[in-house]
């Protein structure tokens, strides 16, 4: 169950940022093939934000009209999927992975299950390892990525990217 509050988020590069005030309703995982393609993933996590509590705080997303009724918002610079929007509705769907704190909104349902990967029920049985568990080469690679990270932080900034 979601609690009314302020949610912020945006794309990986920081070109598009948003703010949603209120409850994020109907948090769910959509497994339909259209959402899989839009996310470049096996599913797309979404939740409804009321339009009257939603605003862009930086930049403008690109839009792709994936059907007659739906457009999908994304960052034109880095490609991050951000929104699933039916403009005639009083809400906009936010892609939950684009939230600054995605753990705040836990999905409570799944849709499009006819396209869900049949092996999802086996995920809990897969071996797990921490990022640094890949040995010295893996640690060095991970540290090199962290040191050259250009990803926008998970909070609002006055400007981005930072000046050198």
């Amino acid at each position: 169950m979601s609690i009314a509050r302020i949610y912020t988020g945006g794309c990986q590069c920081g070109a598009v940022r948003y703010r949603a005030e209120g409850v994020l309703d109907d948090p769910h995982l959509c497994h339909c093939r259209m959402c899989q393609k839009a996310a470049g993933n096996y599913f797309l996590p979404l939740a409804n934000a009321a339009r009257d509590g939603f605003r862009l705080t930086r930049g403008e997303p690109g839009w792709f009209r994936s059907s007659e009724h739906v457009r999908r918002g994304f960052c034109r610079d880095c490609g991050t999927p951000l929104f699933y929007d039916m403009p005639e509705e009083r809400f906009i769907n936010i892609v939950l992975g684009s939230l600054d704190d995605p753990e705040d909104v836990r999905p409570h349902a799944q849709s499009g299950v006819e396209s869900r990967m049949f092996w999802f029920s086996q995920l809990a049985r897969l071996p797990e390892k921490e990022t640094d568990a890949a040995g010295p080469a893996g640690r060095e690679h991970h540290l090199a990525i962290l040191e050259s990270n250009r990803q926008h932080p998970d909070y609002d900034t006055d400007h981005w990217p930072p000046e050198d």
Side-chain angles (χ1 to χ4, degrees):
M1 183 169 144
S2 297
I3 298 170
R5 57 169 278 207
I6 295 172
Y7 299 90
T8 59
C11 66
Q12 184 175 13
C13 75
V16 180
R17 298 278 303 156
Y18 63 83
R19 171 187 167 115
E21 195 168 333
V23 173
L24 293 186
D25 197 27
D26 189 28
H28 66 282
L29 305 178
C30 184
H31 297 273
C32 83
R33 190 65 185 126
M34 196 177 285
C35 281
Q36 288 173 354
K37 296 281 277 199
N41 208 326
Y42 298 118
F43 59 84
L44 187 63
L46 299 163
N48 302 338
R51 257 184 228 288
D52 60 3
F54 176 85
R55 68 182 171 91
L56 293 168
T57 58
R58 181 184 301 140
E60 289 289 328
W63 294 99
F64 171 67
R65 184 140 320 254
S66 59
S67 75
E68 184 178 331
H69 303 284
V70 174
R71 65 183 189 156
R72 293 171 185 270
F74 62 95
C75 175
R76 291 183 190 273
D77 293 341
C78 67
T80 302
L82 298 166
F83 312 114
Y84 172 99
D85 187 31
M86 294 178 286
E88 70 281 357
E89 297 290 336
R90 51 184 225 295
F91 59 84
I92 184 170
N93 279 278
I94 293 173
V95 176
L96 297 176
S98 72
L99 289 168
D100 289 337
D101 196 352
E103 270 195 84
D104 281 355
V105 184
R106 184 173 151 183
H108 66 77
Q110 299 181 66
S111 62
V113 296
E114 66 281 357
S115 297
R116 182 176 50 209
M117 301 295 119
F118 74 91
W119 43 263
F120 267 23
S121 63
Q122 301 166 17
L123 289 177
R125 291 186 238 146
L126 292 177
E128 297 179 352
K129 54 183 163 184
E130 299 286 327
T131 303
D132 286 342
R139 273 191 294 283
E140 288 175 25
H141 180 73
H142 180 66
L143 290 173
I145 289 171
L146 289 176
E147 289 172 3
S148 65
N149 184 0
R150 294 184 185 104
Q151 183 167 304
H152 189 277
D154 287 332
Y155 52 85
D156 285 326
T157 58
D158 290 335
H159 63 278
W160 191 261
E163 297 173 16
D164 289 334

